[in-house]
Amino acid sequence: MASGNPSVHPYGLDPDTIDRPVFAATIRPHQSLSRRGFRVVMTGCCAVSLTVSVWAWRMGFWPVAGFFGLDMLAIYAALKVSFRRGRSFEEVMISQIEILLARVSHRGERREWRFNPLWTKIETVEDDEYGLQRLTLVSRRQQALVARDAGPDERARIALGLTAALAQVKKGY
């Protein structure tokens, strides 16, 4: 029987807590337009399109109305595709025994990368003017891009969290 602190396992890491996450984050792409904003933008565009179309029709330029209708259809389709792509996300989890990066597409397709935290390092590409441009987990011959749809500021915060968690895991061994 081990003496001393009963919460510390006698052989180092406690097997019950070894797979608990030290760091976990869900990264979603930035969407600047909410559903209410979508309605406002579409209403405004349709109002302008309708006003100009009626004016053009009365002036004798009737084909303009059809092209404005096509423009509104294209804007609607583009915004709907953008909203659908906004449902994608990434999950990053670091535990004592592994790093898990899972990327889920807007269709629900899941792709996972698993790394050993002792062999993994974080590589960054930073631009003086634009901030952190690229964040990559590298382990031996395998590498995976992290937070690819996030902005530079969010990517920098994630990089700090990943670096601190990876240092904590490596310190534990």
Side-chain angles (χ1 to χ4, degrees):
M1 186 159 162
S3 62
N5 189 351
S7 66
V8 176
H9 195 270
Y11 301 115
L13 294 173
D14 185 4
D16 295 333
T17 63
I18 202 162
D19 59 345
R20 285 194 190 138
V22 175
F23 176 85
T26 301
I27 306 159
R28 297 192 180 276
H30 176 71
Q31 287 189 310
S32 59
L33 196 61
S34 66
R35 296 221 180 264
R36 181 173 181 256
F38 170 76
R39 285 188 205 111
V40 169
V41 166
M42 285 306 298
T43 302
C45 286
C46 286
V48 168
S49 173
L50 184 64
T51 304
V52 173
S53 293
V54 168
W55 175 81
W57 188 291
R58 294 187 73 189
M59 296 296 291
F61 305 119
W62 56 268
V64 171
F67 286 111
F68 267 116
L70 288 176
D71 286 347
M72 290 301 97
L73 187 63
I75 289 172
Y76 178 81
L79 289 174
K80 281 298 187 181
V81 167
S82 173
F83 275 124
R84 191 173 304 125
R85 299 231 179 210
R87 292 188 303 209
S88 65
F89 62 93
E90 293 179 26
E91 295 176 336
V92 182
M93 191 271 305
I94 298 179
S95 70
Q96 297 288 338
I97 56 175
E98 79 173 341
I99 299 173
L100 171 68
L101 171 64
R103 189 171 292 138
V104 180
S105 74
H106 63 282
R107 294 184 187 107
E109 300 163 346
R110 185 177 180 95
R111 183 161 182 215
E112 291 185 353
W113 292 266
R114 294 178 185 271
F115 301 99
N116 182 336
L118 299 178
W119 292 95
T120 304
K121 66 179 181 174
I122 297 172
E123 289 184 354
T124 59
V125 174
E126 195 162 349
D127 186 81
D128 293 338
E129 189 173 341
Y130 298 109
L132 187 60
Q133 296 297 302
R134 191 177 182 105
L135 177 62
T136 311
L137 289 173
V138 179
S139 179
R140 297 182 181 172
R141 293 182 186 162
Q142 188 180 19
Q143 58 181 323
L145 195 61
V146 180
R148 65 181 183 172
D149 294 331
D153 295 335
E154 185 179 1
R155 199 175 292 130
R157 285 193 306 271
I158 293 167
L160 287 173
L162 285 173
T163 304
L166 204 54
Q168 180 181 350
V169 168
K170 289 180 180 183
K171 181 181 165 188
Y173 281 101

